[in-house]
Amino acid sequence: MVLPGSIAAVAFLLITLSAPLICLGIRSFPARTELGSDGSFGFAEAPEYRNGVDCPVVNDGSGEGVGTTSCDASLVHVAMTLDSEYLRGSMAAVHSVLRHTSCPENLFFHLIAAEFDPVSPRVLTQLVRSTFPSLSFKVYIFREDTVLNLISSSIRTALENPLNYARNYLGDILDPCVDRVIYLDSDIVLVDDIYKLWNTALTGSRVIGAPEYCHANFTKYFTDGFWSDPVMSRVFGSKSKRPCYFNTGVMVMDLTKWREGNYRRKIENWMELQRKRRIYELGSLPPFLLVFGGNIEPIDHRWNQHGLGGDNVKGSCRSLHPGPVSLLHWSGKGKPWVRLDEKRPCPLDYLWEPYDLFKPSQIRGKHHQQQQPLGFSATASIIGYSSYFI
């Protein structure tokens, strides 16, 4: 006899094999583990953060006050990537958001994992659930072949990771009901309430908001070949579009306008040109600058104190920019968890450390649990999958 669950699994597998996908979605599920296949991950469970009295009630329509979908209008949506190399940073980032927000139960995290990560998306999902038991989140599997043929070499190998480009596809990846999202890199911590960032108004036709720097020297972001081309360099030549730098590690994004304007394709067009002409040296940042530079909603600089990881080649210790701080960003080569482990931290790395949930002692004396491959089983405790077609 064929079980109904087996039929559903086979049907889903056939759909997966027959259609080009950007990603698959795995909803969070209750199975818990603190280990990867090699026992290398051990995270302490985060404190349970609860809403304040003035927070809106999350309701999925059942009348029970429990948000089980990402379509509730009261939710604040946060998108981040999730991979084994930067997992420690991602967990600290999520922890910092929860710790400082006034309404933690109204947050919904969209976590995007790479298809071929050494640790399967299923195990990554279990690790997030074991660390944040009450967190509302969904893990998506990003199809790396969506962008592999568009990526060109960069000044630092880490910048060539396909997952760095997942932000280009948020309009396709996330549920259509999600019309606004905050995108955050994995090497950040918040020290302020994310609701303040969420409430940023994107005026007029502006699609994204971010701290911008209009006095940046753009010559270092693009090649001489770009600047000598009269057509390409004209992108930054008009008075209505000043060449303003912004860091894509912190963005408020209007996904309705993003989808309507087909901005994913506009970014891909520049990536295709880069493959032919070599017009920049960095990874995923320059295409965003070409499409949006000079036409974003400027947000206070306190929301992205970036560059704390040093430059992209050697790395170095940096100090804070002048002014107040709401978000610390270790963009650049050096990451705080690496420098702390190597006993050579920069002074600002100690500001990241209180949010670090990694506890090596958590894995001592425990059996190494075998990593379960991503697959389909009638007995798997999964709430649901969803697919996203190009």
Side-chain angles (χ1 to χ4, degrees), residues 70-93:
S70 61
C71 293
D72 191 293
S74 66
L75 294 175
V76 171
H77 297 277
V78 182
M80 298 177 62
T81 57
L82 187 68
D83 67 283
S84 53
E85 183 177 358
Y86 288 90
L87 180 62
R88 190 166 165 189
S90 299
M91 302 296 249

Side-chain angles (χ1 to χ4, degrees), residues 5 9 21 26 33-34 41 43 55 60 68 88 95 147 173 186 208 245 252 257 284 313 325 331 334 344 374:
L21 298 176
I26 307 178
T33 179
E34 293 166 342
F41 298 129
F43 292 90
C55 294
D60 64 350
T68 58
R88 190 166 165 189
H95 185 204
V147 75
I173 292 173
S186 297
I208 63 176
Y245 166 85
V252 180
K257 294 177 183 176
S284 60
V313 179
V325 180
S331 56
R344 54 177 187 85
L374 180 64

Side-chain angles (χ1 to χ4, degrees), residues 255-380:
L255 293 183
T256 299
K257 294 177 183 176
W258 179 280
R259 294 169 181 130
E260 291 174 349
N262 199 13
Y263 284 98
R264 163 201 162 186
R265 185 57 195 159
K266 292 176 181 178
I267 289 174
E268 288 178 335
N269 288 339
W270 283 110
M271 294 175 68
E272 290 170 355
L273 184 60
Q274 160 74 354
R275 296 275 289 184
K276 299 174 183 177
R277 298 280 301 273
R278 191 70 182 179
I279 59 176
Y280 53 80
E281 301 296 338
L282 288 172
S284 60
L285 169 63
F288 264 86
L289 297 179
L290 288 161
V291 174
F292 294 106
N295 191 29
I296 69 169
E297 189 72 36
I299 295 176
D300 194 291
H301 292 175
R302 69 189 302 157
W303 286 104
N304 195 349
Q305 287 267 350
H306 64 279
L308 304 186
D311 63 67
N312 275 308
V313 179
K314 295 180 180 179
S316 58
C317 290
R318 298 276 181 88
S319 57
L320 290 175
H321 310 293
V325 180
S326 292
L327 184 148
L328 299 160
H329 186 186
W330 279 261
S331 56
K333 185 177 182 180
K335 302 307 173 188
W337 57 91
V338 175
R339 295 192 294 219
L340 286 164
D341 286 352
E342 293 179 349
K343 308 300 182 184
R344 54 177 187 85
C346 292
L348 292 179
D349 295 344
Y350 291 110
L351 299 178
W352 179 89
E353 194 173 24
Y355 304 97
D356 185 17
L357 293 168
F358 181 67
K359 304 294 180 185
S361 61
Q362 292 287 105
I363 63 175
R364 294 173 186 167
K366 293 184 178 181
H367 289 296
H368 290 180
Q369 299 184 18
Q370 183 177 0
Q371 176 181 330
Q372 297 182 1
L374 180 64
F376 307 95
S377 168
T379 59

Side-chain angles (χ1 to χ4, degrees), residues 217-275:
N217 180 8
F218 261 44
T219 58
K220 66 180 181 178
Y221 295 109
F222 301 95
T223 64
D224 292 340
F226 172 85
W227 292 113
S228 63
D229 187 291
V231 176
M232 287 191 292
S233 60
R234 196 181 303 159
V235 173
F236 300 118
S238 65
K239 293 183 180 179
S240 62
K241 191 173 183 181
R242 294 178 299 164
C244 296
Y245 166 85
F246 66 95
N247 181 282
T248 55
V250 180
M251 295 186 290
V252 180
M253 307 175 69
D254 185 321
L255 293 183
T256 299
K257 294 177 183 176
W258 179 280
R259 294 169 181 130
E260 291 174 349
N262 199 13
Y263 284 98
R264 163 201 162 186
R265 185 57 195 159
K266 292 176 181 178
I267 289 174
E268 288 178 335
N269 288 339
W270 283 110
M271 294 175 68
E272 290 170 355
L273 184 60
Q274 160 74 354
R275 296 275 289 184

Side-chain angles (χ1 to χ4, degrees), residues 74-261:
S74 66
L75 294 175
V76 171
H77 297 277
V78 182
M80 298 177 62
T81 57
L82 187 68
D83 67 283
S84 53
E85 183 177 358
Y86 288 90
L87 180 62
R88 190 166 165 189
S90 299
M91 302 296 249
V94 173
H95 185 204
S96 72
V97 175
L98 292 172
R99 184 168 172 177
H100 292 284
T101 189
S102 54
C103 300
E105 295 176 75
N106 291 73
L107 300 178
F108 194 101
F109 282 83
H110 304 266
L111 306 173
I112 305 167
E115 181 182 12
F116 299 114
D117 192 288
V119 180
S120 79
R122 185 181 299 277
V123 171
L124 290 174
T125 304
Q126 292 173 325
L127 286 166
V128 174
R129 172 56 63 216
S130 68
T131 307
F132 305 104
S134 59
L135 186 70
S136 295
F137 72 99
K138 183 177 180 179
V139 174
Y140 305 80
I141 308 168
F142 182 63
R143 289 285 298 266
E144 295 171 89
D145 57 2
T146 302
V147 75
L148 274 177
N149 292 333
L150 295 172
I151 297 176
S152 56
S153 60
S154 183
I155 60 174
R156 186 159 62 91
T157 305
L159 299 176
E160 300 170 21
N161 185 339
L163 206 55
N164 289 336
Y165 296 84
R167 73 196 80 186
N168 302 2
Y169 299 91
L170 291 178
D172 304 276
I173 292 173
L174 305 191
D175 295 327
C177 64
V178 180
D179 56 11
R180 183 182 179 91
V181 70
I182 296 173
Y183 176 82
L184 298 175
D185 272 350
S186 297
D187 50 2
I188 64 97
V189 294
L190 268 75
V191 292
D192 203 344
D193 193 339
I194 198 171
Y195 265 81
K196 297 177 184 178
L197 184 59
W198 177 256
N199 289 329
T200 299
L202 301 181
T203 59
S205 61
R206 288 169 174 167
V207 180
I208 63 176
E212 67 174 357
Y213 305 85
C214 292
H215 300 292
N217 180 8
F218 261 44
T219 58
K220 66 180 181 178
Y221 295 109
F222 301 95
T223 64
D224 292 340
F226 172 85
W227 292 113
S228 63
D229 187 291
V231 176
M232 287 191 292
S233 60
R234 196 181 303 159
V235 173
F236 300 118
S238 65
K239 293 183 180 179
S240 62
K241 191 173 183 181
R242 294 178 299 164
C244 296
Y245 166 85
F246 66 95
N247 181 282
T248 55
V250 180
M251 295 186 290
V252 180
M253 307 175 69
D254 185 321
L255 293 183
T256 299
K257 294 177 183 176
W258 179 280
R259 294 169 181 130
E260 291 174 349

